[in-house]
Amino acid sequence: MSTHPSTLAEWQALAASLTFETRAYIDDAFVDAVSGETFTSVNPATGETLAEVASCDAADAERAVEHARAAFERGEWSRLAPVKRKAVLLKLADLMAAHKHELALLDTLDMGKPVNSSLGDLAGAIGCLRHQAESIDKLYGEVAPTGDDSLGLVLREPLGVVASIVPWNFPLMMTAWKIAPALAAGNSVILKPSEKSPLSALRLAQLAREAGLPRGVFQVLPGFGHTVGKALALSMDVDCLAFTGSTQVGKQLMQYAGQSNLKRVYLECGGKSPNLVFADCKHLDAVAKHAAAAIFHNQGEVCIAGSRLLVENSIREAFVDKVLAAAERMQPGDPLDPSSFMGAIVDETQHRRILDYIRQGVEEGAQLRSGGQALERPGYFITPTVFDGVTPAMTIGREEIFGPVLAVFGFDSEEQAIAMANDSDYGLAAGLWSQDIDRIMRVTRRLQSGQVFVNNWAGGDQTMPFGGVKQSGNGRDKSHHSLAEYSTLKSVWISLEG
């Protein structure tokens, strides 16, 4: 068996050798849920059971919060010198790098994404952890301008106990985006992974213990949102809730925060991102490939997926043909095959939901140009689907599908393109393809979106904040901005005797 697999057979051999940690991680120990309940983790590419995982609920949340608070008050982490926190987090990043194939494989088995995509996620997760670790001792407080009789200090302090609720589509990458800045700032963190992809989070807990994170500083509670997730959100002793997921659940979490202790709530929610292609853009073949990848990467299960393609009508017919050709080369395959561009849909429920949207698109009069079928094989696979002639009134043009379904719109003017792009409840991401720098600056400023990609899709690195506006949420992941969100400001005014 290769420890650095590169072929389908080698990945299959590594998968066959894996053992899974399935218990919750609470106060430096792996334990069963208090209730003894479990849930089934299923491989969506085969339909086969991977493991029975501890299903935590309110009792487990209460225990974890108690230990997280105790750890915070002890100060082993919260009051540790920043340079020493940095060393521990860098060690964790190194351990993740040493086990990257295993961690990537866990995400692939658990939620169906192609293994090469999972490896890319791991690189992003490791990079995030290293970036936030290196930022710890570079985020300064302030000295206020005062007269000689006073000294004004603005101090940054950790919040306390942070509950991070992460989604299933990018399990470890989203986990890193949440926990890295929260831990770097000195908080105790309780992670609730999605019940659809818990296995890599539990392996991460083993590595965190090996890296030297103190007891109670990092804990993992697998389980469901309506049980353990709700309990964390309602806890009077959780100081901050960080969430990535649907807008509907994000709204519920804000209500729970209001019903409890007014904890901070940072949300990265849904998206229906527009991707605008103007007739003056060059290299249409390459742009079409990017437009296809923007929706079909990760099976379309991406919060910033470019699911609305807005094309200037003078090039629309030719451009859509190029997108269709690109989509043909992005068909789903075995997630363990490094040559597969798409893998399996995460589970039967999501699979059925996507197919229902496709049927609705046809019924509402959109033109199905390609795809739209479930593969006749074990597991949950759907071919890349392209609808043309979509209007803003159609369901597939407004609602987040979270699957490989592209809705193509036409426009005749810049004003019309901007209006169509902004005609959405969401504002997570937007794309713009043009060679006209004046147009780029005009349109970029008017797009109602937390991030705009110009002549690329999903560009950026750890120096750039990630988040949305409108019903796409309010917080920011990545960059120094996220590190600042997990700390609070304390003003200290000192009177000096003359």
Side-chain angles (χ1 to χ4, degrees):
M1 180 189 67
S2 173
T3 56
H4 295 82
S6 60
T7 66
L8 172 60
E10 289 173 341
W11 281 109
Q12 289 173 330
L14 181 58
S17 73
L18 288 184
T19 58
F20 307 119
E21 177 55 70
T22 60
R23 297 167 294 172
Y25 182 62
I26 300 176
D27 198 33
D28 206 32
F30 288 94
V31 295
D32 294 328
V34 171
S35 66
E37 295 293 319
T38 63
F39 62 89
T40 303
S41 175
V42 174
N43 182 343
T46 63
E48 298 173 350
T49 295
L50 290 168
E52 297 294 330
V53 181
S55 186
C56 296
D57 58 24
D60 305 280
E62 185 177 353
R63 287 182 59 206
V65 171
E66 179 182 344
H67 291 302
R69 176 62 60 192
F72 184 78
E73 297 299 334
R74 286 196 305 270
E76 297 167 300
W77 185 256
S78 59
R79 295 194 295 274
L80 188 65
V83 69
K84 293 183 179 180
R85 290 204 305 271
K86 179 202 302 192
V88 174
L89 293 181
L90 288 176
K91 183 176 180 181
L92 176 57
D94 289 343
L95 288 169
M96 292 173 66
H99 295 274
K100 65 179 181 180
H101 295 91
E102 176 190 358
L103 291 168
L105 183 55
L106 289 173
D107 280 353
T108 288
L109 293 174
D110 225 0
M111 62 78 54
K113 67 166 58 201
V115 71
N116 274 349
S117 178
S118 293
L119 283 171
D121 295 352
L122 254 294
I126 294 164
C128 177
L129 200 62
R130 287 176 172 155
H131 180 88
Q132 296 294 349
E134 291 289 358
S135 300
I136 293 174
D137 53 1
K138 301 173 182 65
L139 190 64
Y140 285 75
E142 302 170 16
V143 177
T146 64
D148 291 344
D149 60 346
S150 304
L151 176 63
L153 303 178
V154 182
L155 308 180
R156 286 196 173 273
E157 297 183 343
L159 298 174
V161 177
V162 175
S164 299
I165 301 177
V166 299
W168 46 262
N169 58 332
F170 293 90
L172 269 180
M173 191 169 77
M174 293 293 99
T175 291
W177 285 14
K178 300 299 186 201
I179 72 168
L183 289 171
N187 299 287
S188 297
V189 176
I190 302 169
L191 172 67
K192 195 214 85 71
S194 170
E195 69 278 4
K196 299 180 182 183
S197 57
L199 297 179
S200 62
L202 294 169
R203 181 68 179 105
L204 180 65
Q206 294 175 326
L207 299 179
R209 181 165 63 177
E210 185 178 345
L213 279 165
R215 176 169 56 93
V217 169
F218 178 62
Q219 302 174 91
V220 182
L221 301 181
F224 293 86
H226 65 273
T227 55
V228 67
K230 180 179 179 179
L232 290 170
L234 285 170
S235 173
M236 296 295 291
D237 212 21
V238 169
D239 302 292
C240 175
L241 184 65
F243 169 77
T244 293
S246 71
T247 296
Q248 178 184 2
V249 174
K251 292 179 178 180
Q252 290 177 332
L253 295 177
M254 292 192 77
Q255 292 176 6
Y256 294 151
Q259 292 168 20
S260 53
N261 61 342
L262 286 178
K263 59 177 63 65
R264 296 191 187 191
V265 181
Y266 298 134
L267 303 174
E268 193 260 276
C269 298
K272 191 69 176 177
S273 300
N275 199 4
L276 285 63
V277 180
F278 287 90
D280 63 32
C281 74
K282 296 180 180 178
H283 313 300
L284 287 184
D285 287 327
V287 175
K289 291 176 184 176
H290 284 291
I295 178 61
F296 301 132
H297 170 65
N298 208 51
Q299 307 75 245
E301 297 165 326
V302 184
C303 55
I304 61 166
S307 54
R308 289 190 294 150
L309 180 60
L310 281 57
V311 187
E312 194 164 352
N313 278 323
S314 61
I315 63 167
R316 177 174 158 192
E317 183 176 347
F319 188 77
V320 171
D321 285 342
K322 294 178 186 296
V323 171
L324 294 172
E328 277 298 313
R329 297 187 290 272
M330 297 179 180
Q331 299 299 314
D334 189 330
L336 294 179
D337 187 342
S339 68
S340 295
F341 183 86
M342 283 174 49
I345 304 301
V346 69
D347 64 8
E348 183 179 7
T349 300
Q350 184 67 11
H351 187 257
R352 189 185 320 116
R353 180 175 183 270
I354 295 167
L355 292 175
D356 286 344
Y357 270 113
I358 292 171
R359 282 191 289 270
Q360 194 167 3
V362 173
E363 291 169 0
E364 292 184 359
Q367 182 184 3
L368 180 61
R369 294 293 305 274
S370 71
Q373 297 90 32
L375 294 187
E376 295 295 329
R377 56 173 290 178
Y380 311 114
F381 297 85
I382 295 175
T383 54
T385 303
V386 178
F387 280 100
D388 198 359
V390 180
T391 67
M394 294 180 181
T395 304
I396 61 169
R398 301 201 65 83
E399 296 185 10
E400 183 179 39
I401 298 172
F402 226 61
V405 181
L406 178 63
V408 181
F409 302 73
F411 66 83
D412 292 308
S413 68
E414 184 179 300
E415 283 296 320
Q416 185 184 17
I418 294 170
M420 291 174 66
N422 290 338
D423 183 18
S424 174
D425 293 334
Y426 301 108
L428 188 56
L432 167 60
W433 302 83
S434 173
Q435 308 308 129
D436 184 335
I437 187 61
D438 294 329
R439 166 175 285 155
I440 288 171
M441 296 310 301
R442 285 193 307 267
V443 176
T444 294
R445 290 181 180 274
R446 293 183 59 190
L447 290 173
Q448 297 168 0
S449 177
Q451 50 215 320
V452 178
F453 308 118
V454 178
N455 292 329
N456 72 90
W457 187 265
D461 57 21
Q462 290 299 324
T463 66
M464 297 290 288
F466 182 102
V469 298
K470 300 197 284 189
Q471 293 190 44
S472 288
N474 54 27
R476 291 296 182 269
D477 292 314
K478 305 196 307 178
S479 81
H480 289 330
H481 294 280
S482 65
L483 183 56
E485 285 184 344
Y486 290 105
S487 61
T488 189
L489 297 179
K490 177 181 284 184
S491 295
V492 180
W493 188 269
I494 303 172
S495 295
L496 303 175
E497 294 183 3

